[in-house]
Amino acid sequence: MTGGRLVVARGLAHAFLAGAWDPPAMTARGQRAVGQRRVWVRDLALAARHAYPEAPRDRPRELAKFLAACPPLAGAWPVPSVQRWYVAETAMGRSPWPVAPLHTVGDLQDLLGMSTATLLWFADTKRLERTVADERLRHYRYHWVPKRSGGARLIEAPKAVLRHAQRVILREILEHIPVHDTAHGFRKGRSALTHANGHVRRKVVLRVDLEDFFASVGAGRAYGTFRLCGYPEPVAHVLTGLVTNSVPRTVWAAASPPASPELRPAFRRLGLHLPHPHLPQGAPTSPALANLAAFGLDRRLAGRASAVGLTYTRYADDLAFSSTTPRSVPQMRSLVGAITTIATTEGFRVNPWKTSVQRSGQRQRLAGVVVNERPNVDRRQYDLLKATLHNAALHGPAEENRAGVPAFRDHLRGRIAWVNHLNPGRGERLLATFARIDWED
């Protein structure tokens, strides 16, 4: 099939969808589109009407592929050209959720308050972000954040206009789509604490980490989510561009590989994700889309856990499994193998360096919460924060903020609030120390 025929097929698909879904009317528009009064155009219109009794107004691309493969067009010679481009009348298909109705790209423009040119610029459908050198022309700001386990993660923070558009998409679309019940991250009414609550007083707790959770979710999955909402292909295409990103070459070139040889393969794998459209870690839409992309993973892992008498929950990229009865080493190895296989087939990758089996005789920790007897703060983290506050009160906060954490006061208050959430007694003691810090200098 030649590229010329594909272009003609797209032109005819747009012409057929630009008015009444009736073979005579479709034929007339199609003949005007190719500038020929040919019988094969009529035959093509009849084939389309037979294959699609109802106009596929949410699927112009699918219709074009169908037309390109039809014998009337495949046998047309010489290969025609599109003389007139029609604007297809698109419309939403059936949506199972109460998302914002967007029948056309124009509706999306109205929702976001953008002109056509502005919308396409921020959707970056030509992937200019990947090659542009001037930071002022980029839609994202980039910075690397060290991980506690070694290596670094790339934060892709959208600039103000794009961030606003993503928040509208989150509010009007993504928040109306249910995620799997086992997901506890990035959900109203759910938290690291609710994630941990399901694994208290267990004989064994298994923690599994997913590698590059956001970066591994590509544009195809985001597009599939918007298509499941019923949005027509052109609308889903633009929405996908607004919520995915391709990292500039210069940003990756400036990244330093981890010092540890064990972490370098993961670093190289991250480098394979970032050039392609993916969920940017830092965009307000990415957590919701990642949860939706993991629906199949959650469903399969929950089923597997239930079949062998385990409890399963997920907090972002942290997977937790627990049992009220002891489990042997071979049983746990078999479970880890099954989890790894399921994750791989669902498009994710398990990080073997962070897989841990925690038995009741040792500290059991999930998402920063100790779960041996009751949800509690990690004692070592508490002692570290206590010492930080004590030294800040004694010598001043500037001397204690050796890492140069911005908004250090708010940073400490946030850490205290987390401790207070898990253990109010310890939280009150930390607050009393915090109150003695002199922030005037």
Side-chain angles (χ1 to χ4, degrees):
M1 186 184 302
T2 66
R5 293 191 193 277
L6 287 173
V7 172
V8 175
R10 285 197 291 270
L12 287 168
H14 281 227
F16 288 170
L17 292 171
W21 191 247
D22 174 74
M26 294 162 63
T27 300
R29 291 192 300 273
Q31 290 176 340
R32 285 194 290 271
V34 296
Q36 299 179 15
R37 294 180 61 84
R38 300 292 185 179
V39 173
W40 65 263
V41 179
R42 181 202 64 191
D43 294 340
L44 201 62
L46 290 170
R49 180 64 174 77
H50 178 76
Y52 297 92
E54 299 293 333
R57 300 198 183 280
D58 64 324
R59 293 163 286 164
R61 294 182 182 183
E62 179 185 307
L63 177 61
K65 290 180 180 179
F66 169 81
L67 296 178
C70 274
L73 178 55
W77 187 261
V79 178
S81 61
V82 181
Q83 303 296 315
R84 174 180 175 183
W85 281 94
Y86 283 80
V87 177
E89 294 180 2
T90 58
M92 284 186 68
R94 179 183 173 276
S95 178
W97 309 297
V99 296
L102 302 172
H103 299 284
T104 67
V105 174
D107 291 338
L108 179 57
Q109 292 175 222
D110 293 341
L111 178 69
L112 300 179
M114 292 182 176
S115 66
T116 301
T118 303
L119 181 66
L120 295 180
W121 166 249
F122 282 105
D124 194 23
T125 54
K126 296 183 179 180
R127 294 178 60 189
L128 299 178
E129 183 88 2
R130 174 74 177 145
T131 56
V132 67
D134 191 336
E135 196 277 335
R136 293 172 298 179
L137 297 177
R138 293 176 181 170
H139 300 316
Y140 291 83
R141 293 186 175 90
Y142 303 91
H143 64 277
W144 293 90
V145 177
K147 296 180 180 179
R148 284 181 297 179
S149 57
R153 65 169 50 89
L154 178 63
I155 302 301
E156 305 165 59
K159 294 180 181 178
V161 176
L162 180 57
R163 183 171 63 249
H164 170 74
Q166 290 171 342
R167 284 175 174 164
V168 173
I169 293 169
L170 176 65
R171 182 183 69 243
E172 300 295 332
I173 300 173
L174 299 177
E175 288 184 346
H176 297 283
I177 309 174
V179 301
H180 198 276
D181 191 56
T182 57
H184 288 255
F186 320 120
R187 294 183 63 185
K188 293 179 180 178
R190 300 287 182 93
S191 64
L193 181 57
T194 63
H195 166 66
N197 272 337
H199 307 278
V200 175
R201 297 192 190 93
R202 300 302 171 99
K203 294 294 184 181
V204 60
V205 173
L206 170 65
R207 178 181 176 271
V208 178
D209 179 80
L210 297 177
E211 184 180 284
D212 301 327
F213 185 50
F214 291 109
S216 61
V217 180
R221 286 189 170 190
Y223 178 80
T225 296
F226 293 124
R227 287 289 290 128
L228 285 174
C229 292
Y231 293 124
E233 291 166 337
V235 175
H237 179 64
V238 176
L239 283 168
T240 300
L242 291 169
V243 300
T244 59
N245 182 43
S246 300
V247 171
R249 293 189 180 96
T250 54
V251 172
W252 177 251
S256 300
S260 172
E262 292 84 0
L263 299 175
R264 288 175 190 166
F267 179 77
R268 287 193 292 270
R269 287 191 293 271
L270 175 62
L272 296 176
H273 289 305
L274 296 182
H276 306 289
H278 61 276
L279 300 184
Q281 185 164 354
T285 46
S286 292
L289 282 165
N291 267 346
L292 294 169
F295 188 96
L297 174 74
D298 290 333
R299 178 178 54 81
R300 293 179 64 185
L301 291 180
R304 177 76 181 191
S306 178
V308 294
L310 298 174
T311 299
Y312 163 70
T313 61
R314 178 179 60 80
Y315 183 79
D317 54 0
D318 284 342
L319 315 179
F321 301 80
S322 64
S323 171
T324 56
T325 59
R327 302 287 168 139
S328 67
V329 171
Q331 285 176 319
M332 298 310 293
R333 285 177 179 166
S334 175
L335 176 61
V336 171
I339 294 167
T340 302
T341 299
I342 291 172
T344 301
T345 57
E346 290 293 331
F348 296 96
R349 182 185 179 91
V350 166
N351 183 349
W353 298 102
K354 292 188 177 180
T355 298
S356 64
V357 178
Q358 308 164 48
R359 302 189 183 275
S360 56
Q362 60 189 134
R363 185 185 59 170
Q364 296 171 323
R365 188 170 178 266
L366 294 172
V369 182
V370 176
V371 295
N372 291 73
E373 296 299 327
R374 64 180 180 85
N376 203 351
V377 64
D378 186 309
R379 181 59 193 240
R380 287 183 295 186
Q381 295 298 319
Y382 169 74
D383 288 342
L384 180 62
L385 178 57
K386 180 181 176 182
T388 299
L389 294 171
H390 174 76
N391 291 335
L394 196 62
H395 305 293
E399 184 173 331
E400 192 60 23
N401 186 16
R402 300 182 185 90
V405 176
F408 189 51
R409 182 175 188 171
D410 294 337
H411 170 75
L412 292 179
R413 283 299 300 263
R415 292 174 63 185
I416 294 171
W418 170 244
V419 173
N420 192 61
H421 185 53
L422 297 174
N423 190 318
R426 288 180 175 176
E428 288 297 324
R429 290 192 288 274
L430 294 178
L431 282 171
T433 306
F434 179 84
R436 299 201 305 269
I437 300 174
D438 184 2
W439 295 95
E440 295 302 320
D441 294 336

